[in-house]
Amino acid sequence: MTTVVAVRKGGQVTMAADSLVTFGDTRMSHNAEANQKIFTVEDAAGQSLFAVAGAAAHQLVLQHALAAQPREALQFGSKHEVFHTFTQLHPVLKDTFFMQTKEDEHEPYESSQFTMLLANSSGIYGIYSYREVFEFKQYWAIGSGRSFALGAMHAAYDNKSRNARDVAEAGIAAACEFDRNSALPADVLTLKLKVSK
């Protein structure tokens, strides 16, 4: 698993991710491979940051699927735009990348199998397997260390001396301290928000 956090504060949005990859009981640290979990996509409005939790294959699949789309088709400026873009991407994931869409026989929709965070100048979005999209006003975390990260970010967020990067780093540090599937060093990227909240 992994830990990924995103924070919006003071006119900035920051995404941070740990660098550990695990295969069952085997841990592959940053020393074995440069495990960078955050990737950048040039979209219709500029630039978006993405990170995925779960199977290691998800990151490469998502990077290639998004890169194959025309830039103007990648619209991530609102909850509804993110939903529409990922609904359009779902058949590509099935047909080109052989994504298995079944999680459970009784589920109401085909699954896209992803749990991801997206951050850009419009804010922070969580995208989940049935293309559920949530827009987070302050911060969020995904992955096995999310509970530790959320607690640390909750404690740090209202401190006026801490900016978005500081809060994100506090979240990742807590996750890497307590979650066995997350480890430092962390990648941390920051973008400017269109509207400060």
Side-chain angles (χ1 to χ4, degrees):
M1 288 296 285
T2 192
T3 303
V4 181
V5 304
V7 179
R8 61 180 293 170
K9 185 176 181 183
Q12 295 183 321
V13 62
T14 298
M15 183 177 283
D18 81 300
S19 58
L20 180 67
V21 172
T22 57
F23 299 95
D25 291 333
T26 303
R27 295 166 43 101
M28 186 167 65
S29 74
H30 186 69
N31 295 329
E33 183 189 42
N35 298 320
Q36 295 181 311
K37 297 177 183 178
I38 301 172
F39 62 94
T40 304
V41 172
E42 298 297 324
D43 58 42
Q47 198 174 64
S48 290
L49 305 175
F50 284 86
V52 183
H58 290 336
Q59 182 169 342
L60 282 174
V61 166
L62 191 60
Q63 282 180 292
H64 285 269
L66 290 169
Q69 304 308 304
R71 185 173 175 172
E72 61 275 6
L74 300 175
Q75 297 187 16
F76 304 121
S78 71
K79 180 178 180 174
H80 295 285
E81 285 184 0
V82 173
F83 172 78
H84 178 74
T85 299
F86 276 94
T87 300
Q88 299 300 309
L89 194 61
H90 183 75
V92 174
L93 296 171
K94 283 174 41 175
D95 299 340
T96 305
F97 296 96
F98 314 107
M99 178 184 67
Q100 177 55 258
T101 61
K102 256 190 180 237
E103 285 187 19
D104 186 324
E105 242 178 66
H106 304 291
E107 295 299 333
Y109 299 99
E110 287 184 345
S111 171
S112 291
Q113 304 288 356
F114 291 117
T115 298
M116 71 183 89
L117 275 180
L118 166 121
N120 60 33
S121 63
S122 70
I124 301 167
Y125 305 93
I127 303 109
Y128 293 86
S129 58
Y130 299 111
R131 289 156 306 283
E132 310 104 303
V133 179
F134 298 92
E135 183 175 4
F136 300 105
K137 294 180 180 180
Q138 296 178 331
Y139 53 83
W140 196 246
I142 60 171
S144 57
R146 71 186 167 278
S147 296
F148 303 114
L150 286 169
M153 291 187 297
H154 177 74
Y157 191 84
D158 288 333
N159 183 330
K160 301 233 187 278
S161 67
R162 292 193 162 191
N163 60 26
R165 183 182 181 98
D166 296 336
V167 176
E169 287 177 342
I172 284 295
C176 292
E177 181 70 24
F178 297 106
D179 176 46
R180 67 181 177 160
N181 295 313
S182 301
L184 295 172
D187 284 328
V188 185
L189 297 171
T190 300
L191 298 174
K192 188 175 179 181
L193 283 168
K194 282 185 203 165
V195 177
S196 176
K197 286 186 182 176

